[in-house]
Amino acid sequence: MQFGAMNFPITPVLDEIDTFARLGFDYLELAMDPPMAHHSILSSSRAAINRALKVNGLGLVCHLPTFLTTADLTESLRRASVTEMQRSLDVAADLGAKKVVLHPSMAGGMGAFVLDTVKGYAFDFLSEMVDAARCLDVTICLENMFPRNRLGVEPDDFEEIFKTFPALKMTLDSGHANIDDRRGRRLKELVSAFGKRIGHLHFSDNQGRLDDHLAVGQGTVNFGELVRGLKGAGYDDTVTLEIFDENRRMLVESRERIEAMFMAG
């Protein structure tokens, strides 16, 4: 297993690289969001970022921008968001990332009332991204979202997505799956149905209501059961601890807990 941590995009990326290297992580998951990690800033700092990663022995996974509206009902906003996402993908590939995390499009605003239209836009966007990723030799790992997203939430959503786009992998997010499902049904079903399609993991905890990004063991996610399911599926790849605690030692404690679970017989 390889364990990574995600930068806080308010903080300069080079500072985050130094921090995660000191904490003993294997790679940086680079959240490509402004103000400090917009694709334009990353592109202009490419040499320095690559040098810092190499010096610190860190790998790289890129997380494409979170706060874009790639299925917006307003065409100009939708196309601007898609363009931003494509430019971010180009920069991720230029930085040497072979794996990128992508959020499904969200049905926001009035989109909830015309879900079929939004879904069409979302699939058009995925088609463009899959084609671009193929040309760049990058694997897209589509992340499961929480119910408010309305798209890319339930196992049935991913059944259709993976059938349409066989090249996609999944980023399984423990926190997202736990929201409004405190008994863990959704998380268990995602692992059962798509264990072999999982290409990346996001681990964080919550109380089943909000995406709190708590340390492992501070919420209601059943990590023991989750890890057993992943081991049964033969998963042995990247795990990002998406724990947004000011005390960065919580990242280390969570990593140690999860590492022990994977190592247990």
Side-chain angles (χ1 to χ4, degrees):
M1 301 293 295
Q2 298 177 57
F3 290 88
M6 185 180 291
N7 61 300
F8 184 34
I10 300 298
T11 304
V13 172
L14 295 178
D15 292 348
E16 294 285 70
I17 290 173
D18 289 342
T19 296
F20 297 145
R22 287 197 306 272
L23 293 175
F25 282 91
D26 299 310
Y27 67 90
L28 165 71
E29 181 161 335
L30 179 55
M32 303 178 74
D33 293 298
M36 300 305 296
H38 184 261
H39 64 75
S40 60
I41 295 173
L42 298 175
S43 183
S44 65
S45 306
R46 179 176 62 86
I49 291 171
N50 284 339
R51 182 165 56 249
L53 291 171
K54 183 176 181 180
V55 167
N56 286 289
L58 290 180
L60 180 68
V61 172
C62 283
H63 192 305
L64 298 177
T66 299
F67 307 103
L68 295 175
T69 54
T70 53
D72 202 287
L73 295 178
T74 301
E75 183 177 3
S76 58
L77 297 178
R78 183 173 69 255
R79 290 312 311 171
S81 292
V82 172
T83 297
E84 282 289 300
M85 201 71 82
Q86 291 173 336
R87 289 176 178 170
S88 298
L89 178 63
D90 288 340
V91 171
D94 198 35
L95 287 168
K98 292 298 183 182
K99 178 188 298 185
V100 298
V101 177
L102 175 65
H103 282 188
S105 302
M106 182 177 183
M110 292 294 104
F113 299 97
V114 286
L115 198 55
D116 286 345
T117 299
V118 172
K119 185 176 175 181
Y121 292 149
F123 274 57
D124 288 346
F125 163 64
L126 277 179
S127 181
E128 293 185 51
M129 293 297 288
V130 167
D131 287 346
R134 183 184 302 111
C135 292
L136 294 168
D137 193 26
V138 173
T139 298
I140 294 177
C141 298
L142 192 68
E143 185 170 353
N144 62 295
M145 296 303 293
F146 35 78
R148 185 166 57 89
N149 206 79
R150 291 189 171 85
L151 300 174
V153 177
E154 301 293 346
D156 286 349
D157 297 339
F158 281 91
E159 187 73 40
E160 182 178 6
I161 290 169
F162 288 144
K163 183 177 180 180
T164 307
F165 304 104
L168 287 175
K169 295 287 189 179
M170 174 183 279
T171 294
L172 182 69
D173 188 296
S174 64
H176 291 173
N178 195 55
I179 293 173
D180 295 338
D181 188 22
R182 293 179 63 182
R183 293 185 178 183
R185 173 201 59 82
R186 186 185 300 121
L187 186 55
K188 186 185 301 184
E189 289 183 4
L190 286 169
V191 174
S192 176
F194 307 112
K196 299 300 183 182
R197 296 295 293 264
I198 297 172
H200 187 53
L201 299 173
H202 281 173
F203 274 11
S204 69
D205 215 338
N206 60 53
Q207 300 294 335
R209 296 183 299 275
L210 300 173
D211 195 19
D212 298 311
H213 292 278
L214 301 176
V216 172
Q218 291 186 347
T220 61
V221 175
N222 188 336
F223 283 99
E225 182 178 73
L226 172 57
V227 169
R228 285 192 295 274
L230 291 166
K231 288 173 67 175
Y235 188 82
D236 185 16
D237 207 326
T238 47
V239 184
T240 294
L241 281 304
E242 261 199 328
I243 293 154
F244 300 157
D245 195 302
E246 290 184 4
N247 179 5
R248 289 287 177 79
R249 291 299 304 176
M250 300 305 291
L251 282 165
V252 177
E253 292 182 15
S254 294
R255 182 186 70 209
E256 291 173 347
R257 289 185 179 185
I258 295 301
E259 196 168 23
M261 292 179 192
F262 272 104
M263 292 178 65

